[in-house]
Amino acid sequence: MSKAGRPEAIVRPKAGARAFEVERLEPDPALAEFVDYYWLVRWTVTDPHRQQVVPQPRVHVAAEDGRLFVHGVSREPFFRTLTGVGHVLGAAFHPGGFRALLKGSVGAISGTVRTAEDVLGHDDRAAAERILSTSATAEIVPVLDAYLLACEPEPDPAGREATDLVNEAQRRSGIVRAEQLAQHAGLSLRSLQRLFADHVGIGPKWVIQRSRILDATAAAHSGEPVDWSELAAELGFSDQAHLTRAFTQVVGTSPATYRRDPGTAG
């Protein structure tokens, strides 16, 4: 199973590092099958900082604005504007991990942001208030642990399989089509699509392309020269123009322009 997600999902990380810090934390061992890691973001800014993050195939539960919110997998760009002094604690679930708490198809919450009480049936107000009252790790992590454990997740072999397949798509840049992942899994394409719809909340084609876009983002963050035409071929795009279109749709600018942005790398 993956650990700490993909840090390259933070867009323009050099600029972001001047505005906030991210700490990644372990959940209670009883949650390890379901939750990949907790993330704690702390910030102190004089001027508002608008941060973009590339959505990944994982559900998040985050304490912000007085509630715990469940963020389903989204195709849309994710932005947050940070002001003043503050913090957010969130749980990043394994790609196939949230269904064990939801006890229903994760596809039903894709593209939505709803309170944890609405999604999971447990009042989240007291937990959110305690988490947002201090940013001390030792005080707030057990609160989130307790809330998620109260949802009584049970072992889910299909969820573990979905997580392993998403991780395989992320690790292997040579996987560029859903049919390749289905063959690796020993499943029909339709069975793979059903597994992903139910446990991940989005289809394998999207997962694979998002993984390859994040590979391109990582290349831009490296600070090293990039041959975008060559990289496009390695990542399974038909040509550089295809990569440029896909990257721009996700990040908002072409990969070459993003690479030159002073907030990106260097």
Side-chain angles (χ1 to χ4, degrees), residues 141-215:
V141 165
V143 177
L144 189 52
D145 282 337
Y147 182 86
L148 297 178
L149 287 168
C151 297
E152 300 181 337
E154 298 181 355
D156 181 5
R160 292 196 298 270
E161 181 182 17
T163 291
D164 289 343
L165 290 171
V166 170
N167 290 342
E168 188 72 8
Q170 291 177 342
R171 283 193 299 265
R172 292 177 54 189
S173 61
I175 293 179
V176 298
R177 301 191 321 276
E179 291 83 358
Q180 292 173 285
L181 190 59
Q183 183 177 20
H184 169 82
L187 298 171
S188 69
L189 178 58
R190 183 62 187 139
S191 294
L192 180 70
Q193 290 168 335
R194 285 197 297 267
L195 176 67
F196 272 49
D198 196 36
H199 285 79
V200 183
I202 203 158
K205 179 180 178 180
W206 185 94
V207 169
I208 291 167
Q209 187 178 75
R210 183 51 47 92
S211 297
R212 304 292 75 83
I213 290 294
L214 286 170
D215 290 340

Side-chain angles (χ1 to χ4, degrees), residues 72-205:
V73 177
S74 176
R75 297 175 182 271
E76 300 301 317
F78 180 87
F79 295 93
R80 276 292 182 272
T81 299
L82 309 179
T83 59
V85 179
H87 71 277
V88 174
L89 176 67
F93 282 77
H94 289 295
F98 191 70
R99 195 187 191 286
L101 283 78
L102 182 63
K103 299 176 175 61
S105 174
V106 180
I109 63 168
S110 293
T112 69
V113 180
R114 295 158 55 187
T115 66
E117 181 178 25
D118 184 28
V119 174
L120 299 172
H122 296 270
D123 190 346
D124 58 85
R125 292 174 179 84
E129 181 179 3
R130 291 175 63 191
I131 290 170
L132 294 172
S133 67
T134 175
S135 65
T137 302
E139 295 184 36
I140 61 179
V141 165
V143 177
L144 189 52
D145 282 337
Y147 182 86
L148 297 178
L149 287 168
C151 297
E152 300 181 337
E154 298 181 355
D156 181 5
R160 292 196 298 270
E161 181 182 17
T163 291
D164 289 343
L165 290 171
V166 170
N167 290 342
E168 188 72 8
Q170 291 177 342
R171 283 193 299 265
R172 292 177 54 189
S173 61
I175 293 179
V176 298
R177 301 191 321 276
E179 291 83 358
Q180 292 173 285
L181 190 59
Q183 183 177 20
H184 169 82
L187 298 171
S188 69
L189 178 58
R190 183 62 187 139
S191 294
L192 180 70
Q193 290 168 335
R194 285 197 297 267
L195 176 67
F196 272 49
D198 196 36
H199 285 79
V200 183
I202 203 158
K205 179 180 178 180

Side-chain angles (χ1 to χ4, degrees), residues 237-248:
F237 293 92
S238 57
D239 53 26
Q240 184 177 343
H242 184 197
L243 169 61
T244 296
R245 288 193 300 272
F247 190 97
T248 301

